[in-house]
Amino acid sequence: MADDGAILIGKSWKPETLLLKLANRHGLVTGATGTGKTVTLQVLAEGFAREGVPVFAADIKGDLSGIAAPGDSKPPFVKRAEEIGVKYEADQFTTVFWDVFGEQGHPVRATISEMGPLLLARLLDLNETQEGVLNIAFRIADEQKLLLLDLKDLRAILGFIAENAKELTTKYGNVTSQTVGTIQRALLVLENQKGDLFFGEPALEISDLMRTDRYGRGIVNIMAADKLMANPRLYATFLLWLLSELFEQLPEVGDLDKPKLVFFFDEAHLLFNGAPKALLTAVEQVVRLIRSKGVGVYFVTQNPLDIPETVLAQLGNRVQHALRAFTPRDQKAVKAAAETFRQNPKINTAEAIMHLAVGEALISTLEGKGSPTVVERALIAPPMAQVGPCSAQIRQQALTESGFKGKYDTMIDRESAYEELAARKNLAEAGPVEASTAGGGGILDTIGGWLGGGAPQQRPKTGPGSRGGALPQSMAEKVLTSAARSAATTIGRQVGTAILRGVLGSMMGGKR
C-alpha cells in the first residue's frame, strides 16, 4: 500500500506516508470526538504490523479489538480506497488481548517494587509529605531485603513504620502514624477499585509484547481499557509504568530501519492532568530518550494543549483531525495546533482544522534527515481489518492461540515482606517464653536473630514469575531450625539440672 520502508496514512494530492526509519521520532494524533482518531490509530497499527513492527495499544471503547477480525468490505471503505487509489483487501492481524482485571484478556501485573515510589505516589494521589514516607518504606524494604510484591506487602511495611515511628524518625526524618494512616486509606480505596489485581506475580515480561507471528508480521497487543477507565489514574500510571519498563530494560540500538515496538497512548491527557513536576520531568526524559531504544510513542488525545510543550516538542509525526472552536479555549487550541505544523502557503491551516470532514486530517511527517513535511490536507486510508469490536468467539480464539495461556492466568503469592514481617513478629513474641524454657536462651537468641532480626538469605530465583530476592525457608532449613531449638532446650535443661544439683549438694554438706 506504500513504498518499501513506509506505511500509508492517507492521500492529499500525493500519498501521505510515514517513514519507518523515522517512526521512532514519535507522533501525535489529535481531534475532537467523532472525527476519526480511532480509525487513524487502527490504520497506523495495521501499517506497522504489516511491516513486522509489534504494536501495543490501549482500547478505550473496545473498537480496536476488530483488528483481530477480517474487514467486511463496507461500501464507504471500498469507496474511500478507490478515491485514494488503492485496492481494498480485507485483512486481519494476529492479536493478543490483555486486561488488568483478567476479564477480556490475559492478566497484566506488576510488582510494587517495579512500580516504585514516584509512580505509586501518583497513583495514590499523595502529597509531598506522604510521598516522603512512601520513599522511606521503599528504603527500609531495600535495606532489610524485603520483597514488595503486592499491596499486602506494602501495608505490612507501612505498619512496621507506624509501630517504630519514634526510632525511625531519628534516621529518616519525621514519620507520623497519621501520615501512614492516610497512605493506608489510599491503598484501601485502590483495592476497592480492584487495583490489587494489578499488583503481584507473575509480572508481565516486556519481551512478550515484542513478538512477530509466523508470517513475520508484528503482533498487535490490545489492552482492554473500557473498565480500566473507571479508574483513570490507574490507567495512566499503568501505561507510564510500561513505558518506563521499556526504557529501563531495552538496550540502546540507535536508529533502526524500523522500530522494535510502537506504543499508542490513547486518552493521553489522563497522564498529565494534575501530574507533579517530578512526574512530568520523568515523562519528558523517557519520551526524549526511548527513541534510541527503538520504541516509537504515539499520543492520541482530543486537544494538542493536553500535551505539555516539552513533550509536544518531541512528537515529529502528526495527524490532526477536526477541532471545533466553540469557546476561547477551543480557539486557542486551534491556533496552537495550526502553529505546530510546517506551514503550507496553499493552506490556511487554522481554517482547515475547523472545517475538516470526518475521515479527513492534516498530516505532516518527518522526511529526509528528520525535517517535517509541509502540512497537507488528506483523506485517511481505510482500515483493512474490521472496524468496531470483534466477537467474543474471535477474542476467545485469540486468547487460546496467544501462547500465554497458563503463564499469567493464576496469581502467585510467594513469601515476601508480609510473611517475613509476620514471622519476625511471631518470633519476637515467642522469644521470651523459649528463652525462659532454655535457661537463658543463648542459642535461641542466635537463631532468633538469624531468622527474625537479620536479613533473609538470598538464593537464585526459582519458580514461575520469580524475579530474584528473598525466598521462604527451605524444608531442610526448617528441620535444622527445629532441631537446633530442641537441642538448645535439652542443653538448657541439662545445665539447669546440674546447677540445681550443685546448689543442693553444697546446702547438704556435700552429700548427694
Side-chain angles (χ1 to χ4, degrees), residues 133 136 140 144 146 155-177 180 421 424-425 428:
V133 172
I136 292 173
I140 292 173
Q144 293 289 314
L146 298 172
R155 280 205 190 91
I157 197 72
L158 288 169
F160 173 82
I161 290 174
E163 293 172 0
N164 300 274
K166 185 175 180 181
E167 293 79 6
L168 295 173
T169 294
T170 58
K171 182 176 181 180
Y172 299 103
N174 188 37
V175 177
T176 66
S177 58
V180 173
L421 289 173
R424 292 184 184 185
K425 187 173 183 179

Side-chain angles (χ1 to χ4, degrees), residues 15-315:
E16 298 295 331
T17 60
L18 174 61
L19 293 177
L20 288 172
K21 66 179 181 180
L22 296 175
N24 65 335
R25 298 303 201 274
H26 313 316
L28 176 68
V29 180
T30 55
T33 300
T35 56
K37 294 193 304 297
T38 302
V39 170
T40 298
L41 195 163
Q42 182 168 334
V43 168
L44 290 171
E46 289 182 7
F48 282 119
R50 197 176 287 112
E51 295 296 328
V53 179
V55 171
F56 180 92
D59 192 6
I60 300 296
K61 301 187 291 278
D63 294 345
L64 273 180
S65 63
I67 202 170
D72 51 7
S73 304
K74 290 183 178 179
F77 291 147
V78 174
K79 180 180 179 182
R80 186 182 299 184
E82 293 175 351
E83 293 174 351
I84 290 176
V86 297
K87 181 180 179 182
Y88 184 90
E89 297 177 338
D91 203 352
Q92 66 185 114
F93 298 82
T94 304
T95 305
V96 177
F97 292 101
W98 303 93
D99 185 359
V100 167
F101 306 125
E103 297 174 357
Q104 302 180 69
H106 298 293
V108 178
R109 301 184 189 90
T111 65
I112 292 290
S113 294
E114 288 174 331
M115 181 65 67
L118 177 61
L119 290 183
L120 199 57
R122 158 72 168 166
L123 176 59
L124 299 175
D125 196 21
L126 303 183
N127 62 30
E128 186 175 345
T129 300
Q130 294 155 3
E131 183 179 346
V133 172
L134 193 63
N135 274 279
I136 292 173
F138 275 78
R139 172 64 67 85
I140 292 173
D142 184 58
E143 292 176 350
Q144 293 289 314
K145 295 182 173 59
L146 298 172
L147 293 178
L148 296 178
L149 303 180
D150 51 30
L151 289 183
K152 71 177 186 297
D153 291 326
L154 185 56
R155 280 205 190 91
I157 197 72
L158 288 169
F160 173 82
I161 290 174
E163 293 172 0
N164 300 274
K166 185 175 180 181
E167 293 79 6
L168 295 173
T169 294
T170 58
K171 182 176 181 180
Y172 299 103
N174 188 37
V175 177
T176 66
S177 58
Q178 291 85 351
T179 300
V180 173
T182 300
I183 300 174
Q184 294 280 32
R185 288 193 296 273
L187 291 175
L188 181 61
V189 172
L190 178 61
E191 187 174 24
N192 289 339
Q193 296 175 343
K194 296 185 178 181
D196 58 320
L197 297 177
F198 174 57
F199 293 105
E201 292 185 311
L204 177 67
E205 295 182 17
I206 296 300
S207 58
D208 287 341
L209 302 178
M210 306 175 68
R211 303 186 305 148
T212 55
D213 63 17
R214 58 182 176 176
Y215 304 109
R217 286 182 162 194
I219 291 178
V220 180
N221 298 275
I222 299 295
M223 165 62 71
D226 50 345
K227 292 186 178 180
L228 188 59
M229 288 303 295
N231 185 356
R233 195 173 291 272
L234 177 59
Y235 165 76
T237 304
F238 160 71
L239 291 185
L240 183 55
W241 164 78
L242 184 56
L243 198 60
S244 300
E245 286 292 297
L246 288 167
F247 175 72
E248 292 175 6
Q249 294 188 27
L250 296 181
E252 295 277 347
V253 293
D255 292 324
L256 303 173
D257 290 336
K258 59 184 179 182
K260 296 173 68 174
L261 175 71
V262 170
F263 182 101
F264 288 96
F265 201 137
D266 202 359
E267 299 294 339
H269 65 281
L270 296 174
L271 173 62
F272 303 106
N273 283 350
K277 184 177 180 181
L279 182 62
L280 292 177
T281 301
V283 174
E284 178 192 350
Q285 290 175 343
V286 170
V287 172
R288 185 175 69 250
L289 299 175
I290 202 172
R291 73 173 185 84
S292 63
K293 307 294 183 86
V295 176
V297 181
Y298 287 72
F299 293 96
V300 183
T301 189
Q302 292 189 19
N303 195 319
L305 295 180
D306 295 335
I307 310 295
E309 290 185 3
T310 52
V311 176
L312 197 61
Q314 310 296 324
L315 313 180

